[in-house]
Amino acid sequence: MLAWCVLVGVALYVCIDIALHFLRPDLSLLHNAESDYGNGPHAWLMDINFEVRMLLSLACVGLAWRDTGRSVAGRVGCVLLAVWAISSGILGFFRDDPLGTAPTAHGAVHLVSAGIGFIAALIGLLCLTIAYWPPASRSPRWALLIVWIVALLALLALGHAGFRPHSPGGLYERIFLAAVLAWMAVLGAWRMLSGAASSRVTLEAHAGG
């Protein structure tokens, strides 16, 4: 059930993001932060998407805790991923300050929450990747590691570029978000498929008996 929640949540999040791109052609995928969709027309859609990200991330926490909760790396990773999830939910209630606008209190809350969430997600997913690494787990550890490396490089590039005028910060942020979502989707798909295989083996055993 949790695996399905992760996969459906990721699909819904991506669909809303695509819809916002077409609804707000004035915002650049290359230069504007994703959070800029939370200002102006259709802002409510971005607010919903932040909450979707929170819920699918919490579902991933539940999934990972079942597998790795007995290890230190797993527990730390789950806690940090929960921080990312909660920060995502907070973003839906505090609009960001688009480039060129005066700073506001709600924009400051948004910026701090996003920064904490991004760093928590990066470190948390690294801890969970380590927790899933032992070969005996039969996890998609190489896929998880590769996606995490993409997230790391994207966040480093975002930190260097920022959201200055004409910088590709919007692109780097979207690559980072896509990598985080991809990590969770890989885990969700693996758990769903492994669960289906386990159920099939059980049914065949009962049928044979």
mmCIF file of all heavy atoms in Angstrom, residues 78-129:
data_model
loop_
_atom_site.group_PDB
_atom_site.id
_atom_site.type_symbol
_atom_site.label_atom_id
_atom_site.label_comp_id
_atom_site.label_asym_id
_atom_site.label_seq_id
_atom_site.Cartn_x
_atom_site.Cartn_y
_atom_site.Cartn_z
ATOM 1 N N CYS A 78 15.532 8.015 7.693
ATOM 2 C CA CYS A 78 14.073 8.177 7.778
ATOM 3 C C CYS A 78 13.710 9.484 8.475
ATOM 4 O O CYS A 78 12.784 10.184 8.055
ATOM 5 C CB CYS A 78 13.452 6.991 8.509
ATOM 6 S SG CYS A 78 13.395 5.472 7.518
ATOM 7 N N VAL A 79 14.431 9.813 9.552
ATOM 8 C CA VAL A 79 14.157 11.067 10.266
ATOM 9 C C VAL A 79 14.415 12.263 9.350
ATOM 10 O O VAL A 79 13.603 13.195 9.271
ATOM 11 C CB VAL A 79 15.020 11.169 11.544
ATOM 12 C CG1 VAL A 79 14.938 12.571 12.127
ATOM 13 C CG2 VAL A 79 14.552 10.143 12.574
ATOM 14 N N LEU A 80 15.527 12.237 8.634
ATOM 15 C CA LEU A 80 15.855 13.357 7.756
ATOM 16 C C LEU A 80 14.881 13.453 6.581
ATOM 17 O O LEU A 80 14.514 14.550 6.156
ATOM 18 C CB LEU A 80 17.293 13.221 7.244
ATOM 19 C CG LEU A 80 18.372 13.462 8.289
ATOM 20 C CD1 LEU A 80 19.757 13.142 7.729
ATOM 21 C CD2 LEU A 80 18.326 14.896 8.795
ATOM 22 N N LEU A 81 14.447 12.310 6.074
ATOM 23 C CA LEU A 81 13.462 12.334 4.988
ATOM 24 C C LEU A 81 12.120 12.858 5.490
ATOM 25 O O LEU A 81 11.386 13.525 4.753
ATOM 26 C CB LEU A 81 13.297 10.936 4.387
ATOM 27 C CG LEU A 81 12.610 10.877 3.015
ATOM 28 C CD1 LEU A 81 13.376 11.702 1.985
ATOM 29 C CD2 LEU A 81 12.468 9.434 2.546
ATOM 30 N N ALA A 82 11.812 12.584 6.757
ATOM 31 C CA ALA A 82 10.592 13.140 7.353
ATOM 32 C C ALA A 82 10.707 14.663 7.486
ATOM 33 O O ALA A 82 9.719 15.384 7.302
ATOM 34 C CB ALA A 82 10.336 12.504 8.717
ATOM 35 N N VAL A 83 11.913 15.158 7.796
ATOM 36 C CA VAL A 83 12.137 16.614 7.852
ATOM 37 C C VAL A 83 11.877 17.234 6.485
ATOM 38 O O VAL A 83 11.238 18.280 6.357
ATOM 39 C CB VAL A 83 13.574 16.921 8.329
ATOM 40 C CG1 VAL A 83 13.882 18.412 8.161
ATOM 41 C CG2 VAL A 83 13.763 16.501 9.773
ATOM 42 N N TRP A 84 12.390 16.585 5.436
ATOM 43 C CA TRP A 84 12.134 17.038 4.062
ATOM 44 C C TRP A 84 10.637 17.071 3.775
ATOM 45 O O TRP A 84 10.129 18.018 3.181
ATOM 46 C CB TRP A 84 12.857 16.115 3.094
ATOM 47 C CG TRP A 84 12.199 15.898 1.758
ATOM 48 C CD1 TRP A 84 11.344 14.887 1.425
ATOM 49 C CD2 TRP A 84 12.336 16.702 0.571
ATOM 50 N NE1 TRP A 84 10.945 15.000 0.124
ATOM 51 C CE2 TRP A 84 11.539 16.102 -0.424
ATOM 52 C CE3 TRP A 84 13.063 17.842 0.269
ATOM 53 C CZ2 TRP A 84 11.443 16.617 -1.721
ATOM 54 C CZ3 TRP A 84 12.966 18.362 -1.020
ATOM 55 C CH2 TRP A 84 12.167 17.758 -1.991
ATOM 56 N N ALA A 85 9.934 16.025 4.203
ATOM 57 C CA ALA A 85 8.494 15.942 3.953
ATOM 58 C C ALA A 85 7.755 17.085 4.642
ATOM 59 O O ALA A 85 6.913 17.768 4.032
ATOM 60 C CB ALA A 85 7.958 14.594 4.434
ATOM 61 N N ILE A 86 8.068 17.308 5.919
ATOM 62 C CA ILE A 86 7.385 18.365 6.680
ATOM 63 C C ILE A 86 7.709 19.736 6.099
ATOM 64 O O ILE A 86 6.832 20.603 5.991
ATOM 65 C CB ILE A 86 7.784 18.286 8.162
ATOM 66 C CG1 ILE A 86 7.245 16.986 8.778
ATOM 67 C CG2 ILE A 86 7.265 19.498 8.939
ATOM 68 C CD1 ILE A 86 7.800 16.672 10.147
ATOM 69 N N SER A 87 8.968 19.943 5.704
ATOM 70 C CA SER A 87 9.327 21.236 5.111
ATOM 71 C C SER A 87 8.573 21.449 3.805
ATOM 72 O O SER A 87 8.186 22.580 3.481
ATOM 73 C CB SER A 87 10.838 21.310 4.869
ATOM 74 O OG SER A 87 11.232 20.541 3.759
ATOM 75 N N SER A 88 8.343 20.384 3.057
ATOM 76 C CA SER A 88 7.564 20.495 1.816
ATOM 77 C C SER A 88 6.146 20.950 2.118
ATOM 78 O O SER A 88 5.584 21.798 1.408
ATOM 79 C CB SER A 88 7.536 19.149 1.085
ATOM 80 O OG SER A 88 8.831 18.753 0.674
ATOM 81 N N GLY A 89 5.559 20.388 3.177
ATOM 82 C CA GLY A 89 4.213 20.794 3.558
ATOM 83 C C GLY A 89 4.150 22.241 3.993
ATOM 84 O O GLY A 89 3.185 22.959 3.672
ATOM 85 N N ILE A 90 5.183 22.705 4.695
ATOM 86 C CA ILE A 90 5.224 24.095 5.150
ATOM 87 C C ILE A 90 5.258 25.058 3.964
ATOM 88 O O ILE A 90 4.644 26.134 3.994
ATOM 89 C CB ILE A 90 6.454 24.318 6.057
ATOM 90 C CG1 ILE A 90 6.265 23.570 7.384
ATOM 91 C CG2 ILE A 90 6.686 25.812 6.320
ATOM 92 C CD1 ILE A 90 7.497 23.574 8.276
ATOM 93 N N LEU A 91 5.957 24.682 2.900
ATOM 94 C CA LEU A 91 6.097 25.560 1.735
ATOM 95 C C LEU A 91 4.743 25.943 1.132
ATOM 96 O O LEU A 91 4.604 27.022 0.557
ATOM 97 C CB LEU A 91 6.963 24.888 0.662
ATOM 98 C CG LEU A 91 8.406 24.567 1.045
ATOM 99 C CD1 LEU A 91 9.138 23.935 -0.127
ATOM 100 C CD2 LEU A 91 9.136 25.815 1.510
ATOM 101 N N GLY A 92 3.762 25.055 1.274
ATOM 102 C CA GLY A 92 2.446 25.339 0.717
ATOM 103 C C GLY A 92 1.702 26.445 1.437
ATOM 104 O O GLY A 92 0.708 26.962 0.912
ATOM 105 N N PHE A 93 2.165 26.825 2.625
ATOM 106 C CA PHE A 93 1.477 27.855 3.415
ATOM 107 C C PHE A 93 2.243 29.174 3.459
ATOM 108 O O PHE A 93 1.738 30.160 3.988
ATOM 109 C CB PHE A 93 1.259 27.347 4.842
ATOM 110 C CG PHE A 93 0.341 26.166 4.915
ATOM 111 C CD1 PHE A 93 0.847 24.869 4.932
ATOM 112 C CD2 PHE A 93 -1.038 26.337 4.949
ATOM 113 C CE1 PHE A 93 0.002 23.773 4.995
ATOM 114 C CE2 PHE A 93 -1.893 25.250 5.015
ATOM 115 C CZ PHE A 93 -1.373 23.968 5.033
ATOM 116 N N PHE A 94 3.467 29.185 2.912
ATOM 117 C CA PHE A 94 4.279 30.402 2.918
ATOM 118 C C PHE A 94 4.837 30.623 1.514
ATOM 119 O O PHE A 94 5.722 29.889 1.075
ATOM 120 C CB PHE A 94 5.421 30.301 3.938
ATOM 121 C CG PHE A 94 4.960 30.185 5.363
ATOM 122 C CD1 PHE A 94 4.721 28.940 5.930
ATOM 123 C CD2 PHE A 94 4.755 31.327 6.125
ATOM 124 C CE1 PHE A 94 4.293 28.821 7.248
ATOM 125 C CE2 PHE A 94 4.324 31.227 7.441
ATOM 126 C CZ PHE A 94 4.082 29.975 8.000
ATOM 127 N N ARG A 95 4.331 31.621 0.816
ATOM 128 C CA ARG A 95 4.766 31.903 -0.546
ATOM 129 C C ARG A 95 6.213 32.379 -0.577
ATOM 130 O O ARG A 95 6.690 33.004 0.369
ATOM 131 C CB ARG A 95 3.872 32.964 -1.192
ATOM 132 C CG ARG A 95 2.407 32.588 -1.291
ATOM 133 C CD ARG A 95 1.638 33.633 -2.077
ATOM 134 N NE ARG A 95 1.810 34.973 -1.529
ATOM 135 C CZ ARG A 95 1.131 35.477 -0.509
ATOM 136 N NH1 ARG A 95 0.243 34.715 0.116
ATOM 137 N NH2 ARG A 95 1.344 36.719 -0.095
ATOM 138 N N ASP A 96 6.885 32.097 -1.681
ATOM 139 C CA ASP A 96 8.257 32.584 -1.825
ATOM 140 C C ASP A 96 8.253 34.026 -2.349
ATOM 141 O O ASP A 96 7.197 34.554 -2.725
ATOM 142 C CB ASP A 96 9.060 31.673 -2.755
ATOM 143 C CG ASP A 96 8.728 31.893 -4.231
ATOM 144 O OD1 ASP A 96 7.577 32.256 -4.536
ATOM 145 O OD2 ASP A 96 9.613 31.692 -5.079
ATOM 146 N N ASP A 97 9.407 34.640 -2.343
ATOM 147 C CA ASP A 97 9.572 35.984 -2.906
ATOM 148 C C ASP A 97 10.197 35.840 -4.291
ATOM 149 O O ASP A 97 11.390 35.531 -4.398
ATOM 150 C CB ASP A 97 10.481 36.839 -2.018
ATOM 151 C CG ASP A 97 9.872 37.108 -0.653
ATOM 152 O OD1 ASP A 97 8.640 37.259 -0.577
ATOM 153 O OD2 ASP A 97 10.633 37.156 0.327
ATOM 154 N N PRO A 98 9.416 36.031 -5.353
ATOM 155 C CA PRO A 98 9.983 35.907 -6.702
ATOM 156 C C PRO A 98 11.132 36.878 -6.910
ATOM 157 O O PRO A 98 11.224 37.915 -6.244
ATOM 158 C CB PRO A 98 8.796 36.255 -7.616
ATOM 159 C CG PRO A 98 7.576 35.977 -6.786
ATOM 160 C CD PRO A 98 7.974 36.327 -5.380
ATOM 161 N N LEU A 99 12.019 36.522 -7.832
ATOM 162 C CA LEU A 99 13.184 37.341 -8.127
ATOM 163 C C LEU A 99 12.773 38.766 -8.470
ATOM 164 O O LEU A 99 11.865 39.002 -9.268
ATOM 165 C CB LEU A 99 13.948 36.734 -9.306
ATOM 166 C CG LEU A 99 15.323 37.325 -9.614
ATOM 167 C CD1 LEU A 99 16.272 37.036 -8.460
ATOM 168 C CD2 LEU A 99 15.871 36.746 -10.909
ATOM 169 N N GLY A 100 13.418 39.728 -7.812
ATOM 170 C CA GLY A 100 13.144 41.128 -8.091
ATOM 171 C C GLY A 100 12.093 41.762 -7.211
ATOM 172 O O GLY A 100 11.847 42.971 -7.307
ATOM 173 N N THR A 101 11.473 40.974 -6.321
ATOM 174 C CA THR A 101 10.462 41.524 -5.422
ATOM 175 C C THR A 101 11.074 41.783 -4.051
ATOM 176 O O THR A 101 12.112 41.224 -3.700
ATOM 177 C CB THR A 101 9.259 40.574 -5.280
ATOM 178 O OG1 THR A 101 9.715 39.331 -4.708
ATOM 179 C CG2 THR A 101 8.630 40.295 -6.634
ATOM 180 N N ALA A 102 10.406 42.634 -3.276
ATOM 181 C CA ALA A 102 10.895 42.965 -1.937
ATOM 182 C C ALA A 102 10.787 41.749 -1.014
ATOM 183 O O ALA A 102 9.817 40.989 -1.099
ATOM 184 C CB ALA A 102 10.094 44.130 -1.362
ATOM 185 N N PRO A 103 11.762 41.538 -0.143
ATOM 186 C CA PRO A 103 11.701 40.400 0.791
ATOM 187 C C PRO A 103 10.554 40.546 1.778
ATOM 188 O O PRO A 103 10.225 41.653 2.204
ATOM 189 C CB PRO A 103 13.058 40.443 1.503
ATOM 190 C CG PRO A 103 13.541 41.839 1.335
ATOM 191 C CD PRO A 103 13.005 42.326 0.029
ATOM 192 N N THR A 104 9.946 39.434 2.125
ATOM 193 C CA THR A 104 8.829 39.420 3.067
ATOM 194 C C THR A 104 9.076 38.359 4.128
ATOM 195 O O THR A 104 9.949 37.494 3.970
ATOM 196 C CB THR A 104 7.503 39.087 2.346
ATOM 197 O OG1 THR A 104 7.613 37.773 1.765
ATOM 198 C CG2 THR A 104 7.195 40.104 1.250
ATOM 199 N N ALA A 105 8.290 38.410 5.191
ATOM 200 C CA ALA A 105 8.433 37.421 6.266
ATOM 201 C C ALA A 105 8.063 36.027 5.765
ATOM 202 O O ALA A 105 8.761 35.047 6.058
ATOM 203 C CB ALA A 105 7.549 37.816 7.450
ATOM 204 N N HIS A 106 6.949 35.945 4.996
ATOM 205 C CA HIS A 106 6.552 34.615 4.513
ATOM 206 C C HIS A 106 7.571 34.085 3.494
ATOM 207 O O HIS A 106 7.820 32.890 3.409
ATOM 208 C CB HIS A 106 5.141 34.640 3.925
ATOM 209 C CG HIS A 106 4.918 35.618 2.820
ATOM 210 N ND1 HIS A 106 5.396 35.430 1.540
ATOM 211 C CD2 HIS A 106 4.249 36.799 2.798
ATOM 212 C CE1 HIS A 106 5.029 36.447 0.774
ATOM 213 N NE2 HIS A 106 4.335 37.291 1.505
ATOM 214 N N GLY A 107 8.211 34.990 2.747
ATOM 215 C CA GLY A 107 9.251 34.566 1.820
ATOM 216 C C GLY A 107 10.475 34.031 2.549
ATOM 217 O O GLY A 107 11.099 33.058 2.104
ATOM 218 N N ALA A 108 10.810 34.645 3.685
ATOM 219 C CA ALA A 108 11.945 34.183 4.484
ATOM 220 C C ALA A 108 11.679 32.793 5.053
ATOM 221 O O ALA A 108 12.555 31.923 5.050
ATOM 222 C CB ALA A 108 12.235 35.176 5.601
ATOM 223 N N VAL A 109 10.441 32.583 5.549
ATOM 224 C CA VAL A 109 10.074 31.259 6.071
ATOM 225 C C VAL A 109 10.171 30.224 4.959
ATOM 226 O O VAL A 109 10.679 29.105 5.162
ATOM 227 C CB VAL A 109 8.646 31.283 6.661
ATOM 228 C CG1 VAL A 109 8.198 29.872 7.028
ATOM 229 C CG2 VAL A 109 8.596 32.191 7.886
ATOM 230 N N HIS A 110 9.692 30.586 3.783
ATOM 231 C CA HIS A 110 9.729 29.673 2.632
ATOM 232 C C HIS A 110 11.175 29.310 2.292
ATOM 233 O O HIS A 110 11.496 28.126 2.099
ATOM 234 C CB HIS A 110 9.055 30.344 1.433
ATOM 235 C CG HIS A 110 8.896 29.428 0.250
ATOM 236 N ND1 HIS A 110 7.698 28.830 -0.073
ATOM 237 C CD2 HIS A 110 9.798 29.002 -0.687
ATOM 238 C CE1 HIS A 110 7.851 28.092 -1.149
ATOM 239 N NE2 HIS A 110 9.125 28.177 -1.541
ATOM 240 N N LEU A 111 12.037 30.307 2.234
ATOM 241 C CA LEU A 111 13.426 30.081 1.853
ATOM 242 C C LEU A 111 14.152 29.195 2.866
ATOM 243 O O LEU A 111 14.862 28.246 2.489
ATOM 244 C CB LEU A 111 14.148 31.423 1.723
ATOM 245 C CG LEU A 111 15.610 31.374 1.275
ATOM 246 C CD1 LEU A 111 15.720 30.777 -0.123
ATOM 247 C CD2 LEU A 111 16.228 32.771 1.304
ATOM 248 N N VAL A 112 13.975 29.485 4.148
ATOM 249 C CA VAL A 112 14.638 28.698 5.192
ATOM 250 C C VAL A 112 14.113 27.264 5.194
ATOM 251 O O VAL A 112 14.891 26.297 5.286
ATOM 252 C CB VAL A 112 14.432 29.352 6.575
ATOM 253 C CG1 VAL A 112 14.924 28.424 7.682
ATOM 254 C CG2 VAL A 112 15.167 30.688 6.644
ATOM 255 N N SER A 113 12.802 27.119 5.073
ATOM 256 C CA SER A 113 12.203 25.784 5.072
ATOM 257 C C SER A 113 12.680 24.974 3.876
ATOM 258 O O SER A 113 13.015 23.785 4.006
ATOM 259 C CB SER A 113 10.675 25.895 5.049
ATOM 260 O OG SER A 113 10.079 24.622 5.107
ATOM 261 N N ALA A 114 12.747 25.618 2.704
ATOM 262 C CA ALA A 114 13.214 24.921 1.504
ATOM 263 C C ALA A 114 14.674 24.511 1.658
ATOM 264 O O ALA A 114 15.060 23.382 1.308
ATOM 265 C CB ALA A 114 13.036 25.811 0.282
ATOM 266 N N GLY A 115 15.509 25.408 2.188
ATOM 267 C CA GLY A 115 16.923 25.091 2.369
ATOM 268 C C GLY A 115 17.138 23.919 3.306
ATOM 269 O O GLY A 115 17.913 23.001 3.013
ATOM 270 N N ILE A 116 16.426 23.941 4.436
ATOM 271 C CA ILE A 116 16.528 22.831 5.395
ATOM 272 C C ILE A 116 16.046 21.535 4.756
ATOM 273 O O ILE A 116 16.675 20.478 4.898
ATOM 274 C CB ILE A 116 15.710 23.141 6.669
ATOM 275 C CG1 ILE A 116 16.364 24.288 7.445
ATOM 276 C CG2 ILE A 116 15.575 21.895 7.541
ATOM 277 C CD1 ILE A 116 15.536 24.784 8.609
ATOM 278 N N GLY A 117 14.934 21.621 4.038
ATOM 279 C CA GLY A 117 14.374 20.431 3.407
ATOM 280 C C GLY A 117 15.294 19.828 2.362
ATOM 281 O O GLY A 117 15.475 18.598 2.311
ATOM 282 N N PHE A 118 15.891 20.672 1.525
ATOM 283 C CA PHE A 118 16.769 20.170 0.473
ATOM 284 C C PHE A 118 17.981 19.452 1.073
ATOM 285 O O PHE A 118 18.352 18.356 0.632
ATOM 286 C CB PHE A 118 17.235 21.320 -0.412
ATOM 287 C CG PHE A 118 16.241 21.738 -1.465
ATOM 288 C CD1 PHE A 118 14.875 21.601 -1.251
ATOM 289 C CD2 PHE A 118 16.658 22.279 -2.661
ATOM 290 C CE1 PHE A 118 13.952 21.991 -2.205
ATOM 291 C CE2 PHE A 118 15.747 22.672 -3.635
ATOM 292 C CZ PHE A 118 14.393 22.525 -3.411
ATOM 293 N N ILE A 119 18.607 20.072 2.070
ATOM 294 C CA ILE A 119 19.788 19.463 2.689
ATOM 295 C C ILE A 119 19.407 18.176 3.425
ATOM 296 O O ILE A 119 20.125 17.170 3.365
ATOM 297 C CB ILE A 119 20.460 20.466 3.647
ATOM 298 C CG1 ILE A 119 21.025 21.651 2.845
ATOM 299 C CG2 ILE A 119 21.569 19.790 4.455
ATOM 300 C CD1 ILE A 119 21.524 22.787 3.690
ATOM 301 N N ALA A 120 18.258 18.213 4.119
ATOM 302 C CA ALA A 120 17.794 17.015 4.838
ATOM 303 C C ALA A 120 17.532 15.872 3.866
ATOM 304 O O ALA A 120 17.871 14.716 4.144
ATOM 305 C CB ALA A 120 16.536 17.344 5.631
ATOM 306 N N ALA A 121 16.934 16.188 2.713
ATOM 307 C CA ALA A 121 16.651 15.149 1.718
ATOM 308 C C ALA A 121 17.947 14.547 1.193
ATOM 309 O O ALA A 121 18.071 13.323 1.085
ATOM 310 C CB ALA A 121 15.834 15.736 0.566
ATOM 311 N N LEU A 122 18.917 15.401 0.881
ATOM 312 C CA LEU A 122 20.174 14.903 0.318
ATOM 313 C C LEU A 122 20.897 13.985 1.300
ATOM 314 O O LEU A 122 21.314 12.876 0.943
ATOM 315 C CB LEU A 122 21.078 16.079 -0.059
ATOM 316 C CG LEU A 122 22.342 15.708 -0.823
ATOM 317 C CD1 LEU A 122 22.005 15.226 -2.225
ATOM 318 C CD2 LEU A 122 23.310 16.881 -0.878
ATOM 319 N N ILE A 123 21.027 14.424 2.557
ATOM 320 C CA ILE A 123 21.726 13.604 3.557
ATOM 321 C C ILE A 123 20.897 12.373 3.914
ATOM 322 O O ILE A 123 21.429 11.269 4.082
ATOM 323 C CB ILE A 123 22.040 14.437 4.813
ATOM 324 C CG1 ILE A 123 22.943 15.633 4.456
ATOM 325 C CG2 ILE A 123 22.710 13.575 5.878
ATOM 326 C CD1 ILE A 123 23.175 16.591 5.605
ATOM 327 N N GLY A 124 19.599 12.561 4.044
ATOM 328 C CA GLY A 124 18.725 11.446 4.385
ATOM 329 C C GLY A 124 18.744 10.341 3.341
ATOM 330 O O GLY A 124 18.810 9.151 3.680
ATOM 331 N N LEU A 125 18.694 10.721 2.066
ATOM 332 C CA LEU A 125 18.719 9.704 1.010
ATOM 333 C C LEU A 125 20.073 9.014 0.937
ATOM 334 O O LEU A 125 20.149 7.835 0.591
ATOM 335 C CB LEU A 125 18.369 10.338 -0.339
ATOM 336 C CG LEU A 125 16.924 10.840 -0.484
ATOM 337 C CD1 LEU A 125 16.672 11.351 -1.898
ATOM 338 C CD2 LEU A 125 15.913 9.767 -0.122
ATOM 339 N N LEU A 126 21.143 9.723 1.276
ATOM 340 C CA LEU A 126 22.450 9.078 1.334
ATOM 341 C C LEU A 126 22.464 8.022 2.436
ATOM 342 O O LEU A 126 22.933 6.892 2.227
ATOM 343 C CB LEU A 126 23.544 10.110 1.590
ATOM 344 C CG LEU A 126 24.951 9.535 1.824
ATOM 345 C CD1 LEU A 126 25.428 8.745 0.603
ATOM 346 C CD2 LEU A 126 25.947 10.647 2.163
ATOM 347 N N CYS A 127 21.944 8.384 3.609
ATOM 348 C CA CYS A 127 21.889 7.424 4.722
ATOM 349 C C CYS A 127 21.062 6.199 4.347
ATOM 350 O O CYS A 127 21.450 5.056 4.635
ATOM 351 C CB CYS A 127 21.305 8.090 5.965
ATOM 352 S SG CYS A 127 22.358 9.348 6.715
ATOM 353 N N LEU A 128 19.944 6.427 3.691
ATOM 354 C CA LEU A 128 19.085 5.308 3.304
ATOM 355 C C LEU A 128 19.734 4.464 2.209
ATOM 356 O O LEU A 128 19.584 3.239 2.194
ATOM 357 C CB LEU A 128 17.719 5.818 2.848
ATOM 358 C CG LEU A 128 16.825 6.350 3.972
ATOM 359 C CD1 LEU A 128 15.573 6.996 3.413
ATOM 360 C CD2 LEU A 128 16.448 5.224 4.936
ATOM 361 N N THR A 129 20.443 5.121 1.299
ATOM 362 C CA THR A 129 21.158 4.364 0.264
ATOM 363 C C THR A 129 22.190 3.445 0.909
ATOM 364 O O THR A 129 22.348 2.282 0.515
ATOM 365 C CB THR A 129 21.848 5.326 -0.726
ATOM 366 O OG1 THR A 129 20.847 6.145 -1.357
ATOM 367 C CG2 THR A 129 22.600 4.555 -1.794
#
